[in-house]
Amino acid sequence: MKKVVWFVLVFTLFGCSGNGEKFDGVFEGRPRVNPPYVVGNYPGTEFIFAIPTSGERPMTWTVEGLPEGLTLNEKTGIIRGVVKEAGDYGVKITAKNAHGSQVSELQIRIGKELALTPVMGWNSWNTFGQHLTEALIIETAEALIANGMRDLGYNYINIDDLWQLKERGADGHIVIDSTKFPRGIKYVADYLHERGFRLGIYSDASKYTCAGVCGSLGYEEVDARDFAEWGVDLLKYDYCGAPASRDTAIVRYRKMGEALRATDRSIIYNICEWGRRKPWEWAKEVGGHYWRTTEDIRDAWDLRESGTGLYGIMDIIDVNGELADYAGPGFWNDPDMLVVGIFGNSSSINSGKVQYGCTLKEYRTHMSMWCMMAAPLLSGNDVRNMPDSVLNILTNPEIIAINQDQLGIQGKMVKKEGDCEIWIKPLYKGEVALAVMNRGEQAEKVEVPLQLAGFVNKALVRDVWLHRDLGEYESLKLDLEPHVTVVLRLTQH
C-alpha cells in the first residue's frame, strides 16, 4: 500500500513567520536579481530596463551579451538604448555588493511582442482619482525606489483619467491640464525614464473619458503620435460614452491599436471595456496586450449579496478564473488593479451603501490570487505612506516570481472542498505553484493530494508567504482560517 504523508499547517495569525527561515528585506543581504527574466521590445524603439535587484546598497552591475545599441549604467543598473535588429539576445547579468554577488540571465526579445510577463507598476486612479499632479507622480516614483518596489519589478507608473482638459485644442491636439502638469507630460516621462521607470497614460474610445474630459475618438493617429513624442510607454484605453455594440468596440480599439503600432515607441496597449463584449476573444487581434475582464474592482472582499452589482475581490476571481485559456506571454487577462492597502480610503472606486476596506489577510489573498492568475500587478494605494504590513505583501519576491514566471500560464482552480478552492499554476522548469484559498466565513480543513499538481511521488514543498521549506510530501492537510490563502511552490523530488 502506498504510504501517505500528511502535513498539518494551521493558520491562526495573519503573517505568522516566526518559525520560518530568515528572509532578507529588499535592501538587506546579498544581491538577488528578481524577475522578469524575459522582456520584449519592438525593433528601432527605445528600450528601458532597470534590473530589478534586491540586496544591500551600494551595488554595482555588469552585463555580458548586450545587443548593439544598448548600454548599462553600472551604478544604477539601468539598461537603455535602441536595438535595430530583431532577434533573441541572451544577456548575463552580475550584481555585486559587499556581501557577494549573483549571476542571472535575461532574455531580451526584439520583435513583435511586448509584455512577455504581466505588467507591474502603479496607477493613480484607485486612491487619488482627480487629485492627480506632476508632484504626485514624481513623489510616487521616488517612493517606489526608496521602498524597494521598483527593485521587485514595479516599473510602470500610470497616469489615469483627468490629466487633460475637457475640450481638444484648436490645433486638434489634446490639451494637458497645466495646473496639474505645469511642465508637461514629456517632462514627467523623461524624469521617470532616467530612473528606470516607464510611463503609462489614459484615454477613451469616445469624445470624452469616463470623468468627462477629452477622449481620442477620431484623433487616434494624432494622439498616438503625441503620446509617443512625450515618451509614453503604455496606454490604458477606456470605453465610456461609446456604443454598446461589440463590432463598434472592435473597430474603435483596432483604430487606436494600429495608431500605436505605427509610432516609434514600444507602447503597451491596455483595452479597458470591462469585459462586457468578451475582449478575450478579440483584443489580441486588434493590438491589445492585456484586457479588462470585469467591471471595476472595489475595495471589498465579496459583494455578491450586496445587491449593488459591484465587484469585490471574490466576484472578480470567479469571472477571471474561467478565462485562463486566453492568456499567455504578451497577452493577459486583466482582473483590474490591486486594492491592497487602500483600507477603504478611496473616493474613486468606492461608492454606494457598502462598507469598504479589507483586512491584511484578505489583501494577502488578493495578491496571492492575482499572482496565481498571471494578472497585471498595478498597485493603487498611496505608496508614499503605507505600513510595513502592506509593503511586505506588495514586495514578497516569492509570490511575485510566480506572477512573473516566464512560462506565462494563468492558474486554474482544479478542486473545491466546501468553501476552499485549490488552484494550480504550472511554472518554468517543471515546478508548480499551488494555492489553497478559504473564501468562507469559517475555518476549514482541506486535504490536498499532490497528484492534483501532477506529482506521482513526493514533492519538495515551500511556503512562499512564510519563506520556508516545509519538506517532502505526497499529500498535505491544511487547516485554514477564513479568508486565508496558502501558496506553495512544489518541486519534483
Side-chain angles (χ1 to χ4, degrees):
M1 177 179 291
K2 186 175 182 179
K3 181 181 179 182
V4 177
V5 181
W6 294 104
F7 170 68
V8 181
L9 180 61
V10 182
F11 276 85
T12 56
L13 292 173
F14 168 76
C16 179
S17 58
N19 295 323
E21 297 176 354
K22 182 181 184 299
F23 195 84
D24 291 334
V26 177
F27 297 121
E28 297 177 322
R30 295 170 59 90
R32 182 180 65 249
V33 179
N34 298 306
Y37 302 124
V38 56
V39 293
N41 215 66
Y42 297 148
T45 67
E46 186 175 24
F47 179 90
I48 303 169
F49 184 73
I51 301 171
T53 315
S54 305
E56 185 178 298
R57 268 50 175 180
M59 185 178 295
T60 58
W61 293 260
T62 58
V63 295
E64 299 176 22
L66 274 184
E68 183 178 355
L70 298 186
T71 59
L72 167 73
N73 184 320
E74 295 185 355
K75 294 183 178 180
T76 64
I78 297 172
I79 300 171
R80 293 188 69 174
V82 175
V83 182
K84 296 181 180 179
E85 298 295 327
D88 292 350
Y89 301 92
V91 178
K92 179 181 177 181
I93 297 171
T94 302
K96 185 177 182 180
N97 67 8
H99 296 277
S101 62
Q102 189 199 20
V103 177
S104 182
E105 293 184 357
L106 173 68
Q107 291 292 320
I108 299 176
R109 296 181 181 172
I110 306 298
K112 298 180 180 180
E113 294 182 323
L114 306 178
L116 296 176
T117 60
V119 171
M120 292 182 63
W122 176 90
N123 182 285
S124 63
W125 184 255
N126 280 357
T127 292
F128 297 97
Q130 65 179 328
H131 305 293
L132 171 65
T133 64
E134 173 190 292
L136 171 65
I137 301 304
I138 289 174
E139 290 168 9
T140 295
E142 295 301 332
L144 292 172
I145 294 171
N147 65 26
M149 289 180 68
R150 187 195 64 175
D151 292 304
L152 271 300
Y154 292 89
N155 58 6
Y156 280 85
I157 296 181
N158 296 344
I159 297 170
D160 211 289
D161 205 348
L162 292 166
W163 60 268
Q164 67 275 61
L165 297 183
K166 180 174 183 178
E167 300 302 336
R168 190 170 290 269
D171 60 359
H173 296 268
I174 292 181
V175 180
I176 299 166
D177 187 339
S178 61
T179 63
K180 295 182 176 182
F181 293 91
R183 288 176 283 194
I185 300 298
K186 188 178 188 307
Y187 172 83
V188 175
D190 290 344
Y191 187 96
L192 297 181
H193 293 160
E194 289 174 3
R195 290 153 181 80
F197 293 105
R198 300 176 189 179
L199 173 67
I201 207 163
Y202 169 97
S203 192
D204 192 288
S206 187
K207 182 177 180 180
Y208 298 113
T209 70
C210 296
V213 292
C214 189
S216 292
L217 180 65
Y219 293 87
E220 292 85 358
E221 294 86 355
V222 172
D223 292 351
R225 286 196 299 269
D226 282 348
F227 298 155
E229 289 176 5
W230 297 342
V232 167
D233 305 289
L234 181 150
L235 173 65
K236 175 183 175 183
Y237 206 43
D238 227 328
Y239 202 66
C240 286
S245 164
R246 172 173 164 144
D247 290 342
T248 301
I250 291 173
V251 168
R252 293 191 180 189
Y253 277 107
R254 178 178 284 112
K255 188 73 176 295
M256 179 56 83
E258 292 172 347
L260 294 174
R261 190 63 183 89
T263 69
D264 61 354
R265 291 197 70 78
S266 294
I267 301 178
I268 288 177
Y269 189 22
N270 170 210
I271 289 177
C272 183
E273 58 77 77
W274 327 298
R276 296 180 188 176
R277 286 150 286 269
K278 298 183 178 180
W280 47 88
E281 295 180 348
W282 51 264
K284 178 178 178 181
E285 280 64 42
V286 302
H289 297 102
Y290 65 104
W291 42 82
R292 280 281 296 280
T293 57
T294 72
E295 303 291 333
D296 291 357
I297 191 171
R298 307 291 169 163
D299 184 14
W301 175 253
D302 190 340
L303 294 176
R304 286 175 298 177
E305 297 181 3
S306 68
T308 62
L310 303 175
Y311 282 62
I313 295 167
M314 291 297 105
D315 311 291
I316 285 181
I317 290 173
D318 288 341
V319 175
N320 197 76
E322 297 293 325
L323 303 174
D325 292 342
Y326 294 94
F331 312 102
W332 309 100
N333 293 313
D334 176 19
D336 207 1
M337 298 170 285
L338 295 170
V339 295
V340 173
I342 293 180
F343 295 112
N345 297 316
S346 173
S347 59
S348 300
I349 61 169
N350 294 340
S351 59
K353 298 179 180 180
V354 175
Q355 183 174 355
Y356 291 102
C358 296
T359 65
L360 285 172
K361 67 181 181 180
E362 290 168 345
Y363 285 140
R364 189 169 72 169
T365 286
H366 176 24
M367 182 73 172
S368 297
M369 297 308 298
W370 262 234
C371 289
M372 289 293 295
M373 293 190 297
L377 299 179
L378 293 168
S379 68
N381 61 316
D382 187 350
V383 297
R384 305 169 304 171
N385 181 27
M386 60 177 160
D388 287 345
S389 56
V390 172
L391 180 62
N392 290 340
I393 294 173
L394 293 171
T395 59
N396 179 345
E398 298 194 55
I399 195 68
I400 291 172
I402 290 172
N403 174 266
Q404 293 288 297
D405 183 77
Q406 62 199 78
L407 200 58
I409 295 177
Q410 178 175 323
K412 296 181 180 181
M413 184 176 67
V414 296
K415 187 178 181 182
K416 186 169 184 178
E417 288 190 16
D419 286 322
C420 286
E421 297 179 0
I422 302 171
W423 290 64
I424 297 294
K425 184 182 191 300
L427 303 176
Y428 189 59
K429 294 185 178 179
E431 294 185 299
V432 175
L434 183 149
V436 186
M437 173 179 63
N438 181 3
R439 60 189 299 161
E441 303 304 317
Q442 304 295 326
E444 293 266 358
K445 298 181 185 294
V446 58
E447 299 177 0
V448 186
L450 297 189
Q451 290 91 334
L452 285 174
F455 293 91
V456 177
N457 298 310
K458 293 182 180 180
L460 301 173
V461 180
R462 180 172 177 84
D463 188 304
V464 306
W465 284 107
L466 295 182
H467 307 304
R468 182 180 180 184
D469 292 326
L470 303 179
E472 302 175 0
Y473 298 95
E474 294 178 356
S475 191
L476 307 176
K477 186 173 184 179
L478 307 179
D479 190 351
L480 276 71
E481 292 295 307
H483 300 188
V484 162
T485 296
V486 176
V487 184
L488 307 171
R489 191 175 186 113
L490 309 179
T491 306
Q492 185 64 57
H493 172 66

